[in-house]
C-alpha cells in the first residue's frame, strides 16, 4: 500500500484534435482543458482550406494549453497530399509562432533539423516521429529505429506501431524503460490499448485520450484516463492487473477496480487485455509487475493449463476466473470467485422475497429446486457446482451437447440438447440461469429460452451484465418473476478478486456504490 494523490510520474495527457475547421479546433482546445488535458495535438492535415499564415495565428493566439503541432502527410498515414515544402514551411511557422512542440517525420527530420539549425532552438521542442505499419519482428530492429530517431537531435521521439497481438507490446514497454531520449511509444487498436494505459508506468512522455463528443477511434476517453485509470497516479512501482478475454471492450472491471485501488491506497492498475494466445501471453508477461488477472470469455477453462497451482474449488469446478502471481515464487495460482458470487446472489434474491421453500431449516432456498442452466462454459460450470453444493438438481443446455453432458455428469445432473430449449417446460418454481453471451451488447434483443415459459420459474439469473437489465430480465420481470442481474454476480466476484489481488479486505460498500452509479 502506498500514498496516492500526488503526481508521481511525468507523463502528460494529450488530446489529438482532428477537426475540419479552426473554430472547432479552438473550441476543442478549451474543452480539453476543462476535461483535464495537459496539452493538445493540433492535426493541421485535418483542416479544410487550411491557410498557414492566417489559421496558425488564430490557433496559437487562442491556445489555453500547450500545443503539439502535427501536419501529417499521406505517406505517413495522414491526410495531407500537397506540396512537401509548403507542409514543412507551415510546421516551421508554427514553431516561430509559439507552438511548444512541433512534429517532424523521421524521413524528413535530419535534413530539416540541419537546414534550419533546429538543434539550437530555445522555446520549441522538436518531436521526431515514425509509424510502423506491422510491428517489426525483432526488439533489436525497433531499437535500431529508435537509435536512428535519436540521432536526429530530437527533443522527443514518437514511435507508433500497429500491434497484431498483445505480446508485441512488451517491446514497447522495453523501449520506454530504456530509451535515452524522452519517448512517446504506443500501439493502435484494441490489442494495443494497454500500451497507452501503461505508458506512465514505463516512462512514456505522452498518453493520448479523446474529449467527450469527439471520440478518436482506438483511444481511451480523457475522462476514463483520469477517472477510471488514474494515469497521474501510475508509476514504476504500480502493479498491473487485468482482464484476459476475447473480446474485452465490454469490461466494466476498470471502472470498479481502479477507483477501489485508489480508495484503499493500493498502488495498482486494472486494464483490459485482449488476448489471442494464452501460452504466448503468459510466456511474455512473466515480470512480477504483472501481478494478477481476471479471466473472461472464452478462457475460464483453458487457462487452468497455464496455472502452476489451482485452488481445490476451482479445480473441482474446472474453471478459473482469477489468477494471482504469488509474491514468494512467482507461481500462477488459479481461483474461482464466480461460484459463490452467483449462487449467493440468487439465494439472497429469493430470501428477500421470502421464497425459502417454506422451510427455514433447509440449507438453501434453492435446495430441492430444478436449476436450469443455459451454457456449460466457465461461468456455467461455476453456477452448476454452486447449485449442486446447495442441493439443487441441475439441468444443462449447451450448444455443444457433449460439453453439456460432461458437465451434467460432473454435477449428477441431466443434459438436454440445446434444440429442445425453446420448448422445454421446467418444473414449477425452477431457477433459470443464463451463462451464455446471448443478450450481451450489442446483440441485446435475444433471450435463450421461450418467453412463454418464463412464468414457470421462481427466479431468473442472467450472467450478462452489459446491459445491466437484459432483455431476458425485462421479460422475466414482465412475467412476474424474481430477477437477478449479472451485475450482482459481477460485484460479488470482483470483491473476491480484489481480496486476492491485494491481500486485504475489499471495501464492499464503496464498490457497491460504484456499481450502482456507473453500471
Amino acid at each position: 500500500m502506498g500514498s496516492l494523490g500526488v503526481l508521481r510520474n511525468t507523463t502528460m495527457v494529450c488530446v489529438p484534435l482532428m477537426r475540419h475547421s479552426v473554430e472547432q479546433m479552438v473550441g476543442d482546445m478549451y474543452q480539453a482543458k476543462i476535461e483535464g488535458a495537459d496539452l493538445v495535438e493540433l492535426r493541421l492535415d485535418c483542416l479544410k482550406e487550411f491557410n498557414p499564415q492566417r489559421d496558425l495565428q488564430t490557433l496559437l493566439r487562442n491556445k489555453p494549453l500547450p500545443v503539439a503541432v502535427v501536419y501529417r502527410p499521406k505517406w505517413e498515414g495522414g491526410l495531407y497530399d500537397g506540396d512537401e515544402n509548403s507542409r514543412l514551411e507551415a510546421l516551421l511557422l508554427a514553431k516561430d509562432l509559439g507552438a511548444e512542440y512541433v512534429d517532424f517525420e523521421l524521413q524528413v527530420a535530419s535534413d530539416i533539423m540541419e537546414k534550419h539549425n533546429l538543434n539550437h532552438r530555445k522555446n520549441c521542442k522538436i518531436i521526431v516521429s515514425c509509424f510502423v505499419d506491422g510491428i517489426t519482428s525483432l526488439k533489436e530492429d525497433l531499437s535500431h529505429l529508435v537509435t536512428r530517431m535519436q540521432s536526429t537531435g530530437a527533443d522527443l521521439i514518437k514511435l507508433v506501431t500497429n500491434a497484431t497481438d498483445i505480446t508485441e507490446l512488451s517491446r514497447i514497454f522495453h523501449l520506454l524503460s530504456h530509451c535515452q531520449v524522452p519517448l512517446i511509444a504506443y500501439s493502435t487498436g484494441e490489442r494495443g490499448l494497454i500500451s497507452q494505459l501503461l505508458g506512465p508506468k514505463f516512462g512514456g512522455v505522452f498518453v493520448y485520450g479523446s474529449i467527450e463528443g469527439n471520440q478518436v477511434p482506438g483511444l481511451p476517453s480523457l475522462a476514463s484516463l483520469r477517472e477510471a485509470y488514474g494515469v497521474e497516479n501510475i508509476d514504476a512501482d504500480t502493479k498491473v492487473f487485468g482482464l484476459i478475454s476475447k473480446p474485452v471492450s465490454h469490461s466494466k472491471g476498470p471502472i470498479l477496480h481502479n477507483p477501489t485501488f485508489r480508495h484503499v491506497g493500493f498502488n495498482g492498475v486494472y486494464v483490459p487485455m485482449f488476448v489471442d494466445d494464452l501460452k504466448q501471453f503468459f510466456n511474455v508477461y512473466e515480470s512480477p509487475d504483472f501481478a494478477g488477472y481476471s479471466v473472461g470469455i472464452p478462457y475460464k477453462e483453458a487457462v487452468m493449463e497455464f496455472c502452476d497451482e489451482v485452488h481445490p474449488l476451482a479445480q473441482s469446478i474446472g474453471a478459473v476466473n482469477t489468477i494471482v502471481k504469488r509474491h514468494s515464487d512467482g507461481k500462477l495460482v488459479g481461483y474461482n470467485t464466480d461460484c459463490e458470487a452467483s449462487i449467493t446472489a440468487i439465494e439472497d434474491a429469493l430470501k428477500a422475497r421470502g421464497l425459502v421453500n417454506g422451510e427455514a431449516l433447509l440449507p438453501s432456498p434453492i435446495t430441492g429446486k430444478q436449476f436450469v442452466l443455459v451454457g456449460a462454459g466457465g461461468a456455467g460450470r461455476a453456477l452448476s457446482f454452486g447449485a449442486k453444493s446447495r442441493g439443487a438438481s441441475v439441468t444443462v443446455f449447451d450448444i455443444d451437447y457433449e460439453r453439456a453432458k460432461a458437465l451434467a455428469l460432473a454435477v449428477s445432473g441431466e443434459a438436454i440438447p440445446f434444440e429442445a430449449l425453446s420448448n422445454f417446460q421446467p418444473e414449477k418454481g425452477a431457477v433459470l440461469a443464463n451463462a451464455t453471451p446471448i443478450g450481451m451488447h450489442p446483440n441485446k434483443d435475444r433471450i435463450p429460452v421461450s418467453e412463454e415459459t418464463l412464468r414457470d420459474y421462481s427466479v431468473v439469473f442472467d450472467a450478462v451484465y452489459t446491459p445491466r437489465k437484459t432483455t431476458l430480465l425485462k421479460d422475466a420481470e414482465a412475467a412476474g418473476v424474481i430477477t437477478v442481474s449479472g451485475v450482482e454476480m459481477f460485484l460479488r466476484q470482483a470483491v473476491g478478486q480484489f481480496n486476492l489481488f491485494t491481500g486485504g479486505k475489499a471495501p464492499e460498500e464503496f464498490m457497491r456504490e460504484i456499481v450502482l452509479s456507473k453500471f
Side-chain angles (χ1 to χ4, degrees):
M1 304 269 177
S3 62
L4 300 182
V6 294
L7 191 65
R8 302 185 312 201
N9 64 52
T10 57
T11 304
M12 293 181 285
V13 177
C14 179
V15 174
L17 303 181
M18 306 171 78
R19 292 289 203 171
H20 296 319
S21 77
V22 171
E23 292 75 19
Q24 289 173 320
M25 207 169 266
V26 170
D28 282 355
M29 282 196 278
Y30 282 89
Q31 182 64 32
K33 181 176 182 179
I34 290 169
E35 291 187 31
D38 297 309
L39 74 158
V40 294
E41 180 181 274
L42 305 180
R43 283 290 302 270
L44 303 183
D45 51 301
C46 295
L47 291 171
K48 302 294 185 184
E49 300 177 359
F50 173 57
N51 180 310
Q53 290 286 346
R54 179 194 67 206
D55 295 339
L56 281 171
Q57 289 275 5
T58 302
L59 287 166
L60 296 175
R61 190 187 306 120
N62 290 284
K63 63 183 176 68
L65 290 169
V67 301
V69 177
V70 177
Y71 201 5
R72 196 72 75 211
K74 277 196 171 180
W75 51 262
E76 189 73 349
L79 298 175
Y80 180 78
D81 196 23
D83 177 69
E84 183 66 4
N85 287 329
S86 298
R87 186 182 74 86
L88 297 175
E89 286 171 5
L91 288 169
L92 292 168
L93 178 61
K95 173 187 74 71
D96 294 337
L97 290 176
E100 285 78 10
Y101 303 89
V102 174
D103 182 308
F104 291 99
E105 297 75 23
L106 175 60
Q107 187 170 321
V108 301
S110 293
D111 288 344
I112 202 83
M113 297 278 280
E114 185 176 341
K115 182 177 179 180
H116 294 274
N117 199 26
L118 296 185
N119 289 309
H120 296 92
R121 72 235 159 245
K122 291 183 179 179
N123 298 322
C124 179
K125 294 186 181 298
I126 301 299
I127 301 171
V128 171
S129 62
C130 183
F131 177 77
V132 181
D133 188 9
I135 195 163
T136 309
S137 59
L138 296 174
K139 183 195 307 179
E140 290 74 20
D141 291 334
L142 279 182
S143 297
H144 291 155
L145 180 59
V146 167
T147 300
R148 279 179 54 206
M149 296 169 77
Q150 289 178 176
S151 69
T152 63
D155 296 295
L156 300 86
I157 59 178
K158 179 178 179 179
L159 179 65
V160 182
T161 69
N162 182 15
T164 58
D165 192 277
I166 195 171
T167 56
E168 295 167 4
L169 306 182
S170 65
R171 299 159 189 159
I172 297 291
F173 300 142
H174 176 85
L175 290 171
L176 286 170
S177 300
H178 293 86
C179 189
Q180 297 174 351
V181 171
L183 175 62
I184 306 159
Y186 63 91
S187 283
T188 58
E190 193 172 11
R191 289 167 175 81
L193 178 59
I194 67 166
S195 66
Q196 284 270 17
L197 301 175
L198 300 182
K201 174 176 174 61
F202 296 101
V205 183
F206 294 174
V207 58
Y208 292 85
S210 301
I211 57 174
E212 186 177 348
N214 191 16
Q215 184 69 36
V216 177
L219 292 187
S221 69
L222 191 56
S224 71
L225 287 174
R226 292 298 195 193
E227 296 167 17
Y229 296 102
V231 291
E232 65 272 21
N233 296 309
I234 299 172
D235 63 12
D237 297 324
T238 300
K239 294 296 184 185
V240 180
F241 303 87
L243 171 65
I244 296 172
S245 189
K246 181 181 178 179
V248 75
S249 59
H250 66 282
S251 173
K252 302 283 190 181
I255 64 177
L256 178 59
H257 282 294
N258 288 315
T260 310
F261 284 152
R262 295 195 295 273
H263 180 73
V264 302
F266 181 82
N267 190 3
V269 63
Y270 184 98
V271 296
M273 296 173 166
F274 193 117
V275 174
D276 293 285
D277 187 304
L278 289 172
K279 183 176 182 180
Q280 283 188 337
F281 177 82
F282 288 116
N283 283 343
V284 168
Y285 292 103
E286 293 181 308
S287 161
D289 285 328
F290 292 84
Y293 309 101
S294 307
V295 185
I297 295 171
Y299 295 131
K300 293 186 180 186
E301 296 165 85
V303 80
M304 292 180 66
E305 176 186 345
F306 304 97
C307 295
D308 298 298
E309 296 177 17
V310 177
H311 185 271
L313 175 62
Q315 189 75 58
S316 66
I317 294 170
V320 159
N321 79 313
T322 309
I323 296 175
V324 174
K325 191 172 290 182
R326 195 160 53 202
H327 301 302
S328 59
D329 55 13
K331 299 286 189 184
L332 297 176
V333 185
Y335 299 88
N336 192 299
T337 66
D338 281 337
C339 181
E340 284 300 299
S342 56
I343 293 301
T344 58
I346 293 169
E347 288 176 322
D348 288 349
L350 285 165
K351 289 174 183 175
R353 288 280 288 269
L355 298 183
V356 292
N357 292 330
E359 298 180 34
L361 297 179
L362 284 175
S364 164
I366 67 171
T367 300
K369 288 183 179 290
Q370 183 183 32
F371 193 93
V372 179
L373 174 70
V374 186
R381 294 189 68 86
L383 280 155
S384 63
F385 274 83
K388 180 194 176 186
S389 73
R390 301 312 204 262
S393 60
V394 181
T395 301
V396 184
F397 292 88
D398 191 273
I399 199 163
D400 182 341
Y401 186 47
E402 293 303 314
R403 184 162 75 162
K405 288 196 293 184
L407 178 54
L409 180 64
V411 295
S412 305
E414 177 188 16
I416 300 177
F418 194 79
E419 300 74 31
L421 181 57
S422 59
N423 297 315
F424 177 72
Q425 195 66 44
E427 297 174 6
K428 199 70 176 174
V431 175
L432 173 64
N434 175 41
T436 74
I438 294 173
M440 181 185 290
H441 179 84
N443 302 308
K444 299 182 292 185
D445 297 330
R446 298 174 58 207
I447 68 172
V449 298
S450 168
E451 190 175 343
E452 291 72 30
T453 65
L454 285 175
R455 65 182 69 255
D456 292 320
Y457 293 97
S458 59
V459 60
V460 171
F461 167 84
D462 197 343
V464 172
Y465 64 87
T466 51
R468 179 173 178 174
K469 185 170 285 190
T470 62
T471 299
L472 173 62
L473 296 182
K474 290 177 183 176
D475 290 348
E477 274 188 357
V481 179
I482 298 172
T483 60
V484 183
S485 168
V487 170
E488 186 64 33
M489 173 186 173
F490 175 81
L491 170 63
R492 295 178 187 221
Q493 64 81 31
V495 166
Q497 287 186 336
F498 190 92
N499 294 338
L500 291 168
F501 288 160
T502 65
K505 181 168 175 52
E508 293 188 34
E509 286 310 308
F510 178 82
M511 295 175 77
R512 184 171 291 279
E513 286 173 13
I514 291 176
V515 166
L516 292 176
S517 64
K518 299 287 189 182
F519 282 48

